Amino acid sequence: MPNQIFINKDISWLTFNQRVLEEAASPNVPILERLKFLSIFSSNLDEFYRVKVPPLLALQKIKKKKGGILAKVNTMVLEQQKRFGYILDEMIIPELKQNGIFFLNTESVPEVLNAQLSELFYTTVAGLLQPVYFDEVPTFFAENNQLYELVVLKTKEKQEKLAIVNIPTQVLPRFFKIKAEGKVFVIFLDDIIRKNMHVLFPGKKIKSVFNIKITRDAELNLSDDYEEDIALKIEKQLQKRDYGQASRILYQPGIPKRHWPEILAKFNLHKTSMVKGGVHHGLKDLISFPLKEKAYAYPTQKPLMNKLGQSTLLEEITNQDIMIHTPYQNYHTVLRFFNEAAIDQTVEEIYTTLYRIAADSRIAYALISAAKNGKKVMVLVELKARFDEANNLDWSKKMKEAGVKIIYSSNNIKVHAKVALLKRNHPSQPYLGLLATGNLNEGTARYYTDHVLLTANTSILEELKMLFDFLVKKQKPGKTDKLHFSHLIVSQFNLHKKFLDLIEREIANAEAGLPSGITIKLNNLEEAKLIKALYKASSAGVVINMLVRGICCLKPGITGLSENIKVKRIVDRYLEHGRVFRFENGGLPEIYMGSSDWMIRNIYRRIEVCFPVYQESLKKELSQILDIQWKDNVQGVWLDAKGRNQPVQQDENLVRSQEQIYQYLTQKD
C-alpha cells in the first residue's frame, strides 16, 4: 500500500508493542504488573518473529537486497530492547531493592549464595543439562525459543573451543527465590548454571559464557488438498512446527566476531535475522516472577454478578435481550447458557463455533453432556487457531467420542465467528442465540474485554441457523449460491459491502446537513478499501472517532485526507478486545458488534459474524461504554499520522476507562 496514505502494518504493530512496554515504566502500575507487562512485550515480540518476520525475510530474499521494512523493523526492535533493559535495570530493579527484594539481573551473584546455589545445582538442575562440544557434532539443532548458553573454552593447548548448554526452563522454574543474611534474592536459572559451569567442563578453562535464543517460523503448511483429513494434516504439521526455518537469533552482546562463522554454520543460520539482546533472553518468563504479595499487584476487581430473576436464564432471554461485558461482569452467565441448554427438555439441537477452547473448558463439558442427554450437538472447531491447534484437536476428539458432531473448516478459510444457537421445541420462539465479540473461553474472559449478546430475536437467529447449515456442508464461499443476510453481517457474503454502505450513508447524511458520525472500536485496521472509505467520509465532514488497540494502517489528522479522524489506543490491566461499530444514521444511531477486525485476513480469508444491537436499553449501555473509553486520558494515547503513540492531554477530570466502566456497571446493577 502506498506510504503516503497508509502506515505499514508491521511498523504499526511494533508501535502497539511499544505502548505495552511503556506500561511497564508507569509508576502508577503496581510493580508485579509492570513485570507482567515486560513479559507480555517479550512474548508478543517472540510471536512477531515467528509469524510476521518470516514473510519479510522471504521478501528480502526475493528482492535480493537489504533494507526496506525489515531494516526498519530491526531498528525499532533494537531501540525497544534498549528501552526494555533500561526499564528493568534502572526503574524496576531499584524499586524491588527498596522493598527488600534483590533481583540479580545484571549484578554478579554474591558469594554468600554460593553454597545454596551449589546445592540447588546438584539436587535440582544438573541432571537436566546436556552440554555439547561443537567439534563433536556436525550440526546442532537449536529448538524454538529454547534458551542456551554458549560457552567459550580455553584448552590446555591454549586454543579456543565452543560448546553449548541447554537451560531447562521447560522443566524448571526460570527464577529461584533464595534467602540469605536477612535478604531475599531472585536469581535466574541461567545464572545458577553459569555459576557452576566448571562442573560441566572439567579440565577446561571457561573463558566466557553468552546467552542465545533461536526463534523459528510458526506457519503450518496446509495445502488445498481436501483428500486428506484436515485434523490428521494439522496433527502432522504440529510435530514439525518447532523445526521450522529460523527467523531470529537473539544473542547476548560481546560474542567475539571470530566465532560467528562457526556458530552460524553449526546452527545452520546463515540467512537468519540477528538481533542483539541483553544478558538474559526469554523474558516472557517474568510472568512467573516469584512475587506473590497482593500489595505488588492490581487490587482485586471481583466480576459483577448478572442479576437474573427466579426463572431460568433461557426463560429470561425469551423476555428480553441480555448483554454481558467481560471481564467486568461474571462469565458464569455464558457458562449457564450452555449448562441449561444441556439439560433443558425443550432444547433439541445445539450449534456453536469454538475458535480457542479453554484448557479445562466447562463449555466443552456441557456440550458433551448435551450429546449424552440425547440432544443433537454440532460444533465447528477451528483447528487452525494459531498456537491453539493442539488443544482444539484434543477437545475435538473428546467431544466426538461423546457423540458431538464435529465440523472443521476448509483448509483455505478460518471460522473466526463467536456464535451459538439453540433450537427448541417452542411454538413462538424456536431459537435462542449467543453472539459475541470474543472467544467462548472462560479463561481469556478473565482478562479480555468483550461483549456477549444473548437473544431470542427470531429474525437474527433464523439467519444464524442458515449460516450453520452452510458451514455444515463445508462448501467454499463463492462456490455456491450466495446466502442473503438482512440482519447479520457475515464476511465472505456481505460484511465488506455492508460496512462500505454504512460509511456511504454517513457521507450522504453529512452532505445533506443531517446528523452524521462514526465511532468504531477494533483490534486492528488494515483493509485498504475501508480505510479509503473512511478518508472519503472525513473529507465529506463526517467526524470519525476510532479506538484501535493494535495495528492501524490509517493515518489520522492529515489535512485534505483525514482531518476529521482521530485514533486512540488504550492499554491497561485488561486486553481491549471487543469490536463495536456505531453509525449516527441521521439521528437514529445504529450499533453493531462482532468478531471481525478490518484486516485483509478477517474480510477475505475468514468467516466472521457481526450483528446488530436492537434493544434500545442495550444500545444506550454500549454507547455509554464507548463514550467512557473515548474520554480515557489516563491509559489512552493518540496515534499520530506516523502511527506513533502521543500522550492525551489531561485536565482535572481524569478518566481511566476500565475503572470507570466497572463503576458504571456497578451503579447500573
Side-chain angles (χ1 to χ4, degrees):
M1 296 189 292
N3 292 333
Q4 58 267 32
I5 62 171
F6 297 110
I7 297 168
N8 176 269
K9 68 177 182 179
D10 295 315
I11 300 299
S12 180
W13 184 90
L14 286 171
T15 68
F16 158 65
N17 213 30
Q18 177 77 44
R19 177 65 190 89
V20 172
L21 180 60
E22 290 306 319
E23 199 64 7
S26 173
N28 299 320
V29 176
I31 195 162
L32 182 58
E33 307 298 341
R34 291 165 67 187
L35 286 165
K36 287 181 180 178
F37 276 109
L38 290 180
S39 168
I40 293 167
F41 168 86
S42 184
S43 179
N44 286 348
L45 196 58
D46 279 348
E47 184 172 341
F48 181 79
Y49 271 91
R50 293 199 75 188
V51 176
K52 303 296 184 184
V53 169
L56 296 178
L57 286 167
L59 184 64
Q60 186 181 79
K61 184 177 180 181
I62 292 169
K63 291 186 174 182
K64 296 182 179 179
K65 64 177 182 179
K66 296 183 179 181
I69 293 301
L70 185 58
K72 292 179 182 178
V73 162
N74 287 333
T75 299
M76 288 181 70
V77 169
L78 182 60
E79 290 302 313
Q80 289 178 3
Q81 288 182 325
K82 288 179 181 177
R83 177 65 173 160
F84 184 107
Y86 179 83
I87 292 170
L88 180 60
D89 295 331
E90 305 299 328
M91 300 175 74
I92 293 178
I93 287 178
E95 188 172 333
L96 285 170
K97 191 178 290 186
Q98 289 173 9
N99 287 276
I101 300 162
F102 293 79
F103 180 24
L104 304 177
N105 180 38
T106 55
E107 296 181 28
S108 59
V109 178
E111 294 294 321
V112 70
L113 300 181
N114 283 354
Q116 291 188 64
L117 295 184
S118 179
E119 176 72 11
L120 258 176
F121 178 79
Y122 282 112
T123 60
T124 306
V125 183
L128 297 168
L129 302 179
Q130 298 112 34
V132 176
Y133 289 99
F134 271 25
D135 61 1
E136 293 181 1
V137 294
T139 59
F140 181 86
F141 184 84
E143 296 178 27
N144 176 64
N145 280 341
Q146 171 67 53
L147 302 174
Y148 296 96
E149 292 188 312
L150 178 75
V151 186
V152 181
L153 303 165
K154 203 164 189 178
T155 66
K156 291 179 180 178
E157 295 77 21
K158 296 185 178 181
Q159 295 179 334
E160 288 184 334
K161 190 174 183 178
L162 299 182
I164 195 84
V165 177
N166 62 307
I167 301 174
T169 54
Q170 67 273 47
V171 179
L172 297 177
R174 184 72 188 283
F175 305 104
F176 287 81
K177 188 161 67 172
I178 302 171
K179 294 182 180 179
E181 296 185 341
K183 297 178 181 178
V184 176
F185 296 91
V186 176
I187 187 168
F188 281 90
L189 171 60
D190 324 22
D191 293 333
I192 296 174
I193 298 170
R194 188 178 297 218
K195 192 76 173 174
N196 294 275
M197 192 70 78
H198 61 280
V199 177
L200 301 176
F201 301 100
K204 307 271 190 316
K205 181 181 178 182
I206 297 172
K207 189 173 182 181
S208 51
V209 180
F210 303 96
N211 287 333
I212 61 171
K213 185 180 79 166
I214 309 298
T215 304
R216 296 188 177 276
D217 187 350
E219 197 62 39
L220 299 182
N221 182 21
L222 300 174
S223 63
D224 266 341
D225 178 8
Y226 290 90
E227 294 179 4
E228 186 176 6
D229 179 77
I230 189 170
L232 179 61
K233 185 179 293 188
I234 286 178
E235 205 162 16
K236 289 179 180 178
Q237 288 294 316
L238 286 175
Q239 296 170 4
K240 301 177 183 178
R241 168 174 272 167
D242 286 340
Y243 298 91
Q245 179 67 38
S247 56
R248 173 182 64 162
I249 177 168
L250 185 63
Y251 64 94
Q252 179 182 342
I255 299 176
K257 290 183 179 180
R258 63 183 176 275
H259 293 311
W260 273 114
E262 183 181 1
I263 294 168
L264 295 176
K266 195 64 65 174
F267 287 165
N268 192 24
L269 298 175
H270 297 289
K271 297 180 180 178
T272 301
S273 184
M274 294 171 59
V275 180
K276 186 187 296 185
V279 174
H280 300 98
H281 310 315
L283 292 181
K284 65 181 180 182
D285 293 335
L286 287 169
I287 197 77
S288 62
F289 193 83
L291 189 63
K292 305 301 180 186
E293 290 81 359
K294 290 185 177 180
Y296 298 124
Y298 284 127
T300 301
Q301 192 175 81
K302 188 177 180 180
L304 302 169
M305 293 300 296
N306 304 292
K307 294 180 180 178
L308 301 171
Q310 297 298 313
S311 57
T312 67
L313 173 64
L314 300 189
E315 289 172 340
E316 290 281 339
I317 298 170
T318 64
N319 296 325
Q320 63 175 350
D321 289 355
I322 296 172
M323 191 177 293
I324 313 300
H325 310 284
T326 63
Y328 310 108
Q329 294 176 315
N330 206 303
Y331 202 69
H332 288 173
T333 305
V334 174
L335 301 181
R336 185 170 170 177
F337 176 85
F338 288 97
N339 289 340
E340 287 190 18
I343 61 173
D344 189 293
Q345 293 185 359
T346 68
V347 175
E348 298 175 332
E349 301 175 12
I350 303 174
Y351 302 82
T352 191
T353 59
L354 294 177
Y355 189 74
R356 297 190 189 276
I357 310 176
D360 188 31
S361 175
R362 312 315 296 176
I363 292 173
Y365 283 127
L367 295 169
I368 287 171
S369 293
K372 290 184 175 181
N373 291 339
K375 302 181 190 301
K376 176 184 175 182
V377 183
M378 195 286 292
V379 180
L380 193 145
V381 179
E382 181 48 73
L383 293 184
K384 301 184 295 296
R386 185 177 284 124
F387 303 126
D388 279 281
E389 299 97 341
N391 182 60
N392 287 5
L393 193 58
D394 288 343
W395 272 114
S396 297
K397 293 175 181 177
K398 291 177 185 177
M399 288 189 284
K400 188 181 289 186
E401 288 172 0
V404 175
K405 182 176 181 181
I406 300 295
I407 304 295
Y408 304 127
S409 62
S410 58
N411 290 4
N412 66 335
I413 200 162
K414 287 184 180 181
V415 176
H416 191 248
K418 291 83 168 66
V419 291
L421 179 69
L422 309 182
K423 187 174 184 298
R424 305 191 299 161
N425 181 12
H426 192 284
S428 60
Q429 291 176 310
Y431 297 111
L432 298 178
L434 179 154
L435 303 100
T437 66
N439 296 308
L440 301 181
N441 182 314
E442 57 268 39
T444 55
R446 294 197 300 269
Y447 48 90
Y448 281 29
T449 70
D450 274 304
H451 312 284
V452 183
L453 178 68
L454 302 170
T455 184
N457 186 298
T458 303
S459 298
I460 291 175
L461 299 180
E462 282 180 344
E463 292 187 2
L464 187 56
K465 179 60 166 63
M466 183 170 62
L467 177 62
F468 273 115
D469 289 343
F470 170 82
L471 294 174
V472 169
K473 294 175 185 176
K474 294 190 71 172
Q475 294 169 303
K476 292 184 182 180
K479 298 295 184 181
T480 184
D481 292 336
K482 288 283 184 180
L483 304 185
H484 179 70
F485 296 103
S486 299
H487 301 272
L488 294 182
I489 305 177
V490 184
S491 58
Q492 311 301 313
F493 298 99
N494 68 336
L495 185 145
H496 197 225
K497 183 178 185 304
K498 178 68 174 180
F499 280 123
L500 289 172
D501 289 345
L502 289 169
I503 295 170
E504 282 293 336
R505 187 179 65 186
E506 295 305 313
I507 294 172
N509 287 339
E511 291 174 344
L514 298 172
S516 66
I518 299 172
T519 302
I520 294 175
K521 181 184 178 186
L522 293 165
N523 295 334
N524 299 295
L525 173 62
E526 174 200 22
E527 204 276 333
K529 290 181 181 178
L530 286 164
I531 293 176
K532 288 180 179 179
L534 293 172
Y535 286 154
K536 181 181 176 183
S538 170
S539 298
V542 179
V543 174
I544 302 169
N545 296 333
M546 306 199 71
L547 294 157
V548 183
R549 184 197 79 210
I551 294 169
C552 181
C553 296
L554 178 148
K555 292 186 172 185
I558 297 177
T559 303
L561 180 71
S562 58
E563 64 264 41
N564 288 312
I565 303 177
K566 290 184 178 180
V567 182
K568 181 173 284 188
R569 170 181 282 153
I570 297 172
V571 172
D572 205 345
R573 67 184 293 179
Y574 302 128
L575 181 75
E576 293 294 337
H577 192 255
R579 293 91 165 180
V580 184
F581 313 86
R582 182 173 68 193
F583 300 90
E584 293 309 314
N585 188 33
L588 299 171
E590 290 183 357
I591 294 187
Y592 299 86
M593 305 191 305
S595 63
S596 183
D597 287 318
W598 283 4
M599 296 283 283
I600 291 170
R601 66 188 185 197
N602 300 93
I603 294 169
Y604 300 109
R605 297 195 295 271
R606 293 183 176 184
I607 296 288
E608 305 275 8
V609 173
C610 295
F611 47 93
V613 179
Y614 287 143
Q615 191 168 296
E616 288 300 324
S617 60
L618 297 183
K619 286 171 65 174
K620 181 180 178 182
E621 181 174 299
L622 200 55
S623 285
Q624 289 179 320
I625 289 173
L626 276 178
D627 291 342
I628 291 170
Q629 291 189 306
W630 188 247
K631 294 175 184 176
D632 194 315
N633 58 7
V634 176
Q635 298 301 122
V637 295
W638 296 117
L639 296 191
D640 66 15
K642 293 184 178 179
R644 299 170 300 194
N645 304 299
Q646 301 293 347
V648 175
Q649 186 174 357
Q650 294 183 342
D651 53 30
E652 67 279 359
N653 182 26
L654 295 180
V655 178
R656 187 170 185 169
S657 60
Q658 291 189 357
E659 288 184 357
Q660 291 211 4
I661 290 168
Y662 183 77
Q663 294 167 6
Y664 164 72
L665 293 172
T666 302
Q667 295 165 1
K668 184 184 77 68
D669 289 343

